[in-house]
Amino acid sequence: MAILEVNHIEKHFGKTKVLKDVSFSMEEGSAIAIIGSSGSGKTTLLRCLNFLEKPNKGTIKVRDEILFDADNAATDKDADLRKKRLHFGMVFQSFNLFPQYTALQNVTLAERLLAQEQPDFKQNKKEILAKIDEHGKQLLDRMGLTERMDHYPHQLSGGQQQRVAIARALALQPDILCFDEPTSALDPELTGEVLKVIRSLADQKTTMIIVTHEMAFARDVADHVIFMDGGVIVEQGDPHQVIEHPKEERTKQFLSRYAQG
C-alpha cells in the first residue's frame, strides 16, 4: 500500500494555473526527488502537501486516509489543519529558526507545545519535558551537532542551521519528510554537509520528498525522480533513466540547459 497518494492536484493563483492535474504515489521508506526549472510548480506542490496552500482540485491521501478532497468540504476544515500537517515534516530553503532559542530549544519547541495539551502534563511536567529534551538531543546528535545544541542560530554556520532545521522536522516523527531546495541558501562548501545528512536519512529508509537542483544527488540517492515543467509532471521514473536517458523532449532540454549552466 502506498504511504502517499496524490491524485489530480491543481492549484490556481487567480487565473494562473500553477499545478495542473498532478498525480503520483510513493511507498514507505522511499525517496522521491522532484526536479525542474524555477516556476515549474515544485515548491507549490510541497506547500499543498503540507497544507500551506489549499489545492483547487484533487485529493491527498496518507496511509489510505483522505486528508484532502476538493469535492468534500468535510476534509477542508481549518480546525484539522494542524493534525494534517503532522503527517509532513517540512525543511525550507531558508532555515526559519527562531533566533531567540538555542538549537535544542528550536528542535523541541513543537513537542513541548503539544505536550501541554496532554491531560497529565501538569502532574508529570518535569518527566515529560525531560523526555522531550532527551529526544531533541538524540536528533541533534544524529545531525552531528552534539556540541552545538546550546548555541543560538547566529552562532551556527548555514549548514549547521539547516541541520537543526532537519532535526526539528524529524522531531514529531512525520510520515513523510519534505525538503524544498535544502541547499539553495548555502555556500557551496556547506552544501555537502547537508546532502550528507539527507543521504544518511535515505540510507535509513526515511520516507522523503526532495525538491532539489542537485542532479547527481537526485540520481544517486532517490528511488524515483519526477521532472516538472509548467505545472505538470512531464516525466517520472527511475533516477538513472530520467536523468541520464530521458524520453521526453522537455526533460532533455531542461537537463541540457542545466549541464550547460
Side-chain angles (χ1 to χ4, degrees):
M1 182 181 72
I3 190 172
L4 173 67
E5 296 176 71
V6 176
N7 293 302
H8 308 297
I9 289 293
E10 292 193 7
K11 178 59 185 175
H12 312 157
F13 292 103
K15 295 182 179 180
T16 303
K17 291 186 177 182
V18 179
L19 296 176
K20 309 167 189 175
D21 198 23
V22 171
S23 298
F24 69 95
S25 64
M26 68 184 303
E27 299 297 319
E28 187 168 10
S30 66
I32 287 180
I34 304 178
I35 62 174
S37 58
S38 177
S40 61
K42 308 183 303 295
T43 293
T44 299
L45 176 57
L46 281 193
R47 290 178 64 84
C48 285
L49 293 179
N50 199 43
F51 300 98
L52 295 170
E53 301 287 353
K54 184 174 75 172
N56 295 90
K57 294 183 180 180
T59 62
I60 299 171
K61 296 170 66 175
V62 172
R63 297 191 185 279
D64 214 29
E65 175 189 355
I66 297 177
L67 300 188
F68 177 82
D69 181 349
D71 295 326
N72 183 354
T75 66
D76 187 25
K77 296 178 180 178
D78 289 342
D80 295 333
L81 273 179
R82 187 178 69 173
K83 182 179 178 182
K84 292 177 181 180
R85 286 174 179 157
L86 292 176
H87 291 284
F88 299 90
M90 190 78 172
V91 180
F92 299 91
Q93 295 180 27
S94 54
F95 319 126
N96 288 350
L97 300 180
F98 291 102
Q100 71 273 31
Y101 296 144
T102 65
L104 180 59
Q105 289 169 334
N106 267 282
V107 171
T108 59
L109 179 60
E111 276 191 283
R112 282 173 167 261
L113 291 174
L114 286 174
Q116 293 177 28
E117 300 177 7
Q118 296 178 18
D120 63 338
F121 179 73
K122 289 184 178 180
Q123 300 158 293
N124 302 304
K125 179 178 179 179
K126 186 175 180 180
E127 293 82 358
I128 290 172
L129 294 182
K131 187 175 180 180
I132 290 172
D133 280 347
E134 182 58 31
H135 183 218
K137 291 175 183 178
Q138 291 172 0
L139 288 171
L140 287 170
D141 182 59
R142 285 176 65 186
M143 298 298 118
L145 295 171
T146 300
E147 297 182 0
R148 298 286 181 175
M149 61 180 62
D150 293 324
H151 287 58
Y152 291 89
H154 74 274
Q155 298 172 311
L156 303 173
S157 70
Q160 290 169 340
Q161 289 185 62
Q162 192 62 300
R163 282 185 278 156
V164 172
I166 294 171
R168 179 182 60 185
L170 286 167
L172 296 179
Q173 301 178 353
D175 291 303
I176 302 159
L177 190 58
C178 299
F179 295 87
D180 184 14
E181 298 278 15
T183 61
S184 65
L186 299 176
D187 294 331
E189 62 269 20
L190 298 176
T191 294
E193 66 185 64
V194 173
L195 294 181
K196 182 179 179 181
V197 167
I198 301 174
R199 186 184 297 268
S200 167
L201 292 171
D203 290 341
Q204 296 163 21
K205 297 300 180 182
T206 304
T207 308
M208 298 185 292
I209 300 175
I210 310 158
V211 169
T212 183
H213 60 273
E214 304 284 348
M215 295 300 121
F217 177 78
R219 181 195 62 212
D220 296 338
V221 174
D223 300 294
H224 191 84
V225 166
I226 292 173
F227 169 61
M228 294 186 67
D229 186 52
V232 302
I233 293 177
V234 175
E235 187 168 356
Q236 61 177 311
D238 175 83
H240 292 272
Q241 175 64 48
V242 173
I243 293 175
E244 296 181 358
H245 306 287
K247 298 177 181 178
E248 301 295 329
E249 186 60 33
R250 276 195 279 178
T251 316
K252 294 176 183 178
Q253 291 176 359
F254 166 75
L255 291 169
S256 175
R257 291 196 303 270
Y258 183 86
Q260 293 171 2

